[in-house]
Amino acid sequence: NEVKAVFPGSFDPITNGHLDVLRRATRLFPVVTIAVLHNARKQGKHLFTLEERLEMLSEITADMPGVRVESFGGLLVDYMRTSGSSVIVRGLRAVSDYEYELQIAHLNRQMYPQAETIFIMAATRWSYVSSSMVRELASYGADISKMVPEASARALYRKFAEQYP
Ligand code: COD
């Protein structure tokens, strides 16, 4: 009976911090499914469409065996139930992530006791990297190529060139 691990998130866009957590997770679990949040209620909140995020993630993880890319809407625990997943992988950067993550983990456990949340710390050099900061920096034309995979950087530059031609 294979343990199915899920790495859920917005990935708007995927950063080197996400990628580092993902790599570490693949050493623990034979299959890790990246579950990309598609939240109709939050529409407009994401810079990239669901399709763009799925495409980026597929390209970036194409050479990583054991990594799958899917999307989900609604509650994470409902997706876990239907996909038969039992592990939620989350990343921790600093103490500031902890309270929020602890609350989500407890809420998810209350709704779906079969699921266990595990936390993985990315390498310290990614501890200051977040999708929101990368989006902001890229919007001002800053060089974000050392913080995100190449496909994310390309997509960011393309997106902001579209918005401010
Ligand atoms: N280093 C280490 N970890 C990192 C880094 C970094 N530099 N950057 C990001 N991470 C981690 C994050 O801590 C997180 O664990 C993961 O990577 C994904 O990050 P994001 O920002 O892309 O994703 P989130 O936090 O927006 O994802 C939130 C969910 C989509 C998982 C959550 O909102 C959800 O489950 N929504 C569905 C509705 C639901 O079930 N709600 C109940 C729970 S609140």
Side-chain angles (χ1 to χ4, degrees), residues 66-85:
V67 173
R68 291 178 196 156
V69 181
E70 286 182 9
S71 66
F72 76 102
L75 288 175
L76 176 63
V77 290
D78 290 336
Y79 168 79
M80 303 280 299
R81 251 186 227 113
T82 37
S83 59
S85 313

Side-chain angles (χ1 to χ4, degrees), residues 7-18 20-21 35-39 42 46 72-78 88-94 97 100-101 103-105 107-108 111 119-123 125-132:
F7 183 34
S10 311
F11 305 104
D12 189 34
I14 181 172
T15 68
N16 287 343
H18 291 131
D20 189 76
V21 169
V36 188
L37 177 67
H38 167 54
N39 200 339
K42 275 212 224 160
H46 292 130
F72 76 102
L75 288 175
L76 176 63
V77 290
D78 290 336
I88 302 169
V89 175
R90 295 287 288 172
L92 282 181
R93 278 163 290 200
D97 283 338
Y100 172 68
E101 291 295 339
Q103 184 182 16
I104 297 184
L107 287 169
N108 283 334
M111 293 185 283
F119 295 103
I120 294 181
M121 279 69 69
R125 67 178 179 285
W126 309 126
S127 61
Y128 61 91
V129 173
S130 69
S131 297
S132 58

Side-chain angles (χ1 to χ4, degrees), residues 36-78:
V36 188
L37 177 67
H38 167 54
N39 200 339
R41 261 185 247 160
K42 275 212 224 160
Q43 209 136 61
K45 265 198 78 179
H46 292 130
L47 176 65
F48 292 102
T49 65
L50 177 68
E51 288 67 32
E52 288 171 325
R53 287 177 285 146
L54 290 173
E55 205 179 288
M56 256 184 270
L57 286 162
S58 302
E59 181 183 336
I60 290 159
T61 62
D63 62 346
M64 298 176 74
V67 173
R68 291 178 196 156
V69 181
E70 286 182 9
S71 66
F72 76 102
L75 288 175
L76 176 63
V77 290
D78 290 336

